[in-house]
Amino acid sequence: MARLPKLAVFDLDYTLWPFWVDTHVDPPFHRSSDGAVRDRRGQAVRLYPEVPDVLQQLQDLDVPVAAASRITWLAAQAFRIPSRTLFCRTGEIEGANQLLELFGLDRYFVHREIYPGSKVTHFERLQQKTGVVFSQMIFFDDEKRNIVDVSKLGVTCIHVQNGMNLQTLTQGLETFAKAQAGP
């Protein structure tokens, strides 16, 4: 069998679900009587369809999973919202964790680094917590700048387009295995 990573790390917004928790939806979240996960305004929120299968496949392969998500500052930059408006809101961090729980995904995540700041900081903390070296990690993210920054650490980084799916997982694991085999 091909070599597998010792830790698979996922961004959340536009990787596992099709929105930014800190701008496009309104925490707190709840499960409504119809079974849908909804935000404070009653708007239904959803995952990308294959996300549960992706996480289950990693669990079946005994690959631990972590989250690395920068909440708040990204939205402030992208929408030119004054950072003071968003900086004091802790609802986004709580909201991201709440969504993982409501979608039943929290059982897959052994570590969560969800807070404002650089993805490099997220990975440094993950390495400290897990003891897994960067070269034994794989990272899935929709933002090229995060891919560039984290790849400099030696992490195998996979750019996610249009949400996480099984094909992206398979391609990512193949890329990881090739990187481990060397030139």
Side-chain angles (χ1 to χ4, degrees), residues 11-22 24-25 29 37 45-49 51 55 67 69 71 92-103 105 109 114 142 160 162-164:
D11 174 51
L12 300 177
D13 296 349
Y14 284 101
T15 300
L16 299 188
W17 46 65
F19 51 84
W20 280 331
V21 169
D22 46 4
H24 296 146
V25 292
F29 302 97
V37 175
V45 295
R46 62 179 177 81
L47 294 170
Y48 286 113
V51 165
L55 297 174
S69 184
I71 301 292
E92 293 84 7
I93 295 169
E94 293 168 5
N97 281 301
Q98 191 177 38
L99 284 174
L100 290 173
E101 292 167 17
L102 287 168
F103 287 128
L105 304 181
F109 287 86
I114 304 173
D142 67 302
V160 175
N162 304 313
M164 193 63 204

Side-chain angles (χ1 to χ4, degrees), residues 120 134 145-157:
V120 170
F134 294 132
R145 69 181 174 141
N146 294 331
I147 298 294
V148 170
D149 291 347
V150 174
S151 67
K152 291 176 185 174
L153 298 173
V155 174
T156 298
C157 295

Side-chain angles (χ1 to χ4, degrees), residues 21-97:
V21 169
D22 46 4
T23 60
H24 296 146
V25 292
D26 192 13
F29 302 97
H30 66 279
R31 187 167 301 282
S32 64
S33 59
D34 65 1
V37 175
R38 299 186 182 277
D39 72 0
R40 179 193 339 244
R41 294 171 296 166
Q43 175 183 333
V45 295
R46 62 179 177 81
L47 294 170
Y48 286 113
E50 295 183 10
V51 165
D53 295 331
V54 165
L55 297 174
Q56 184 61 52
Q57 184 168 346
L58 287 166
Q59 185 176 62
D60 292 347
L61 293 169
D62 292 323
V63 176
V65 174
S69 184
R70 82 164 105 220
I71 301 292
T72 301
W73 290 347
L74 173 63
Q77 293 167 354
F79 291 98
R80 295 191 174 96
I81 297 169
S83 59
R84 70 181 181 280
T85 305
L86 294 171
F87 185 75
C88 295
R89 294 180 62 190
T90 59
E92 293 84 7
I93 295 169
E94 293 168 5
N97 281 301

